[in-house]
Amino acid sequence: MAQNTDSGNPFAEPSELDNPFQDPAVIQHRPSPQYATLDVYNPFEAREPSPAYEPPVPAPLPAPSAPSLQPSRKLSPTEPKNYGSYSTQASAVAATAELLKKQEELNRKAEELDRRERELQHAALGGTASQQNNWPPLPSFCPVQPCFFQDISMEIPQEFQKTVSTMYYLWMCSTLALLLNFLACLASFCVDPRNGSGFGLSLLWVLLFTPCSFVCWYRPMYKAFRSDSSFNFFVFFFIFFVQDVLFVLQAIGIPGWGFSGWISALVVLKASPGVAVLMLLVALFFTGIAVLGIVMLKRIHSLYRRTGASFQKAQQEFAAGVFSNPAVRTAAANAAAGAAQNAFRGP
C-alpha cells in the first residue's frame, strides 16, 4: 500500500530511473577525451603533431592476359564486324574468288555449247548452203547481192573472236586509208598536173586492193580460225606478209607510185603546204596500219603454233580439198578419158 501511495504522490522526489540525464542516449554524448567539444578544447595545450599522410597501398592488379594477335580498333558504323580470325577471313576470300572463277568458266562453256548447238542446227538444215549470205551488207533494192556469210560470234570460237574482230577492223582501216590516199593524190594532181600518174594509180589501188585484200587474206584467216584449217593458215601467212610489205611501202610513199607517204608529202610541201599536211596525215595513217599489221601477224602466228597445226596437215587438207572438189574430179575424169581414147587410137 505504501508503494502505491508513494508512486501516486506528485510531490515525491524522482528516483534515478526517472532522471532524464541518466538516459543512456544522453550519457554517451557527455564530454570525453574521445568526443571533444568546445568546453574541453584548449588551444594552448601542447599536443603531439599528427602523423604525416600516407596514401593507402593500392590493391594488386590482376595479371594481364596474353595480348590478342589482332589489335583492337573502333569499327565504323558501316564496317562489318569481325566474327572470325584472320585465317578464317582469308580462306573465305579465297573460296569466293575460286567460286567466281568457276562461274566464269561455266559461262564460257555455256556460250561455247550454245554456239556449237547453233552450228549443229544450221548443219541439220542443210549446212552452209542454207545460210543466208550477209556480207557485204547491201540494201535489198541493190542488184548485187551479198557474197559471203560472216558471223564472228557464231562461227568463231570465243578465245579467237577478239583476234578475228581486230583483223576485220584492220581491213576496214586499210580500205579507209586507200580512200584518203585517193583524195590526197587528187589534191596533189590539182596542185601539180605532173602528178597525174600517181592519181591514176591511187584510183587503181582503191579498186584493186579493197576486194582482193578481203578475199585473199581476211577470208583465209576467218576460215582458218573457224575450222582450225592449217591450209588456210599458210595461205594467210603468205599473203598477209606481202600485205605488210605493201603497208610499209604505202607509208614510205615513193613518188609516182600512187601512195601519199612521207616522201611524197615532203615533195609536195614546197608547192602546197595544205596538200602536204593532208598527205602527211595519210602517211601517218599508213604507218599505224603497218605497225598494227606486223603486231597482228606475230600474234596470229603464236596462236597458230598453239593449235597444233603443221605443214603436213596443210598438205593433207589441200589434197582432200582438191580431190573432193566436183569440178576437179570432173576435169580429171575428162583428162583420163581423153588420154585413154588417144591411147586406143594409136599413132
Side-chain angles (χ1 to χ4, degrees), residues 251-326:
I252 294 174
I254 301 175
W257 285 30
F259 298 137
S260 300
W262 297 102
I263 299 177
S264 299
L266 295 177
V267 171
V268 181
L269 182 62
K270 298 179 181 180
S272 177
V275 176
V277 170
L278 178 60
M279 298 181 72
L280 286 174
L281 293 177
V282 177
L284 183 63
F285 201 3
F286 278 138
T287 304
I289 293 173
V291 173
L292 182 59
I294 296 173
V295 172
M296 293 306 299
L297 180 63
K298 184 178 179 181
R299 178 182 299 180
I300 294 176
H301 185 263
S302 63
L303 293 176
Y304 160 78
R305 296 183 62 182
R306 287 188 296 174
T307 56
S310 61
F311 184 71
Q312 291 78 10
K313 186 177 180 181
Q315 289 178 333
Q316 295 174 1
E317 291 178 359
F318 176 74
V322 168
F323 287 111
S324 63
N325 193 342

Side-chain angles (χ1 to χ4, degrees), residues 71-295:
S72 61
R73 58 186 181 87
K74 186 175 180 181
L75 298 176
S76 61
T78 59
E79 185 177 359
K81 294 183 179 180
N82 182 11
Y83 294 102
S85 61
Y86 178 77
S87 59
T88 305
Q89 291 183 351
S91 60
V93 172
T96 304
E98 185 68 21
L99 289 176
L100 292 176
K101 185 177 180 181
K102 290 182 178 179
Q103 183 66 28
E104 292 178 357
E105 293 180 356
L106 291 176
N107 292 336
R108 288 197 297 267
K109 291 181 179 179
E111 293 178 358
E112 183 69 17
L113 290 176
D114 189 18
R115 186 183 67 84
R116 296 293 184 183
E117 183 179 358
R118 284 182 292 176
E119 289 181 354
L120 292 176
Q121 290 177 356
H122 283 289
L125 293 175
T128 57
S130 64
Q131 296 175 346
Q132 187 73 24
N133 293 335
N134 58 0
W135 199 96
L138 299 174
S140 59
F141 60 84
C142 184
V144 180
Q145 297 299 320
C147 304
F148 306 98
F149 176 80
Q150 176 174 298
D151 192 347
I152 297 177
S153 61
M154 187 186 75
E155 294 188 321
I156 304 301
Q158 185 180 7
E159 60 269 21
F160 304 134
Q161 290 180 4
K162 184 177 179 181
T163 302
V164 175
S165 299
T166 304
M167 293 299 293
Y168 181 66
Y169 295 144
L170 178 62
W171 175 81
M172 296 179 64
C173 290
S174 64
T175 302
L176 180 59
L178 290 174
L179 291 175
L180 295 177
N181 176 68
F182 168 73
L183 296 177
C185 290
L186 175 61
S188 176
F189 173 68
C190 294
V191 173
D192 189 359
R194 293 176 299 179
N195 297 328
S197 60
F199 167 67
L201 288 175
S202 66
L203 179 60
L204 177 63
W205 302 146
V206 173
L207 299 177
L208 180 63
F209 288 157
T210 299
C212 290
S213 59
F214 185 86
V215 175
C216 295
W217 62 261
Y218 175 74
R219 286 298 297 179
M221 183 271 308
Y222 185 90
K223 292 187 290 185
F225 282 110
R226 182 185 62 185
S227 57
D228 192 16
S229 174
S230 299
F231 175 74
N232 286 300
F233 269 119
F234 275 96
V235 172
F236 165 74
F237 288 139
F238 176 75
I239 298 179
F240 193 71
F241 176 78
V242 177
Q243 179 70 70
D244 281 336
V245 174
L246 185 61
F247 285 155
V248 174
L249 293 177
Q250 290 172 347
I252 294 174
I254 301 175
W257 285 30
F259 298 137
S260 300
W262 297 102
I263 299 177
S264 299
L266 295 177
V267 171
V268 181
L269 182 62
K270 298 179 181 180
S272 177
V275 176
V277 170
L278 178 60
M279 298 181 72
L280 286 174
L281 293 177
V282 177
L284 183 63
F285 201 3
F286 278 138
T287 304
I289 293 173
V291 173
L292 182 59
I294 296 173
V295 172

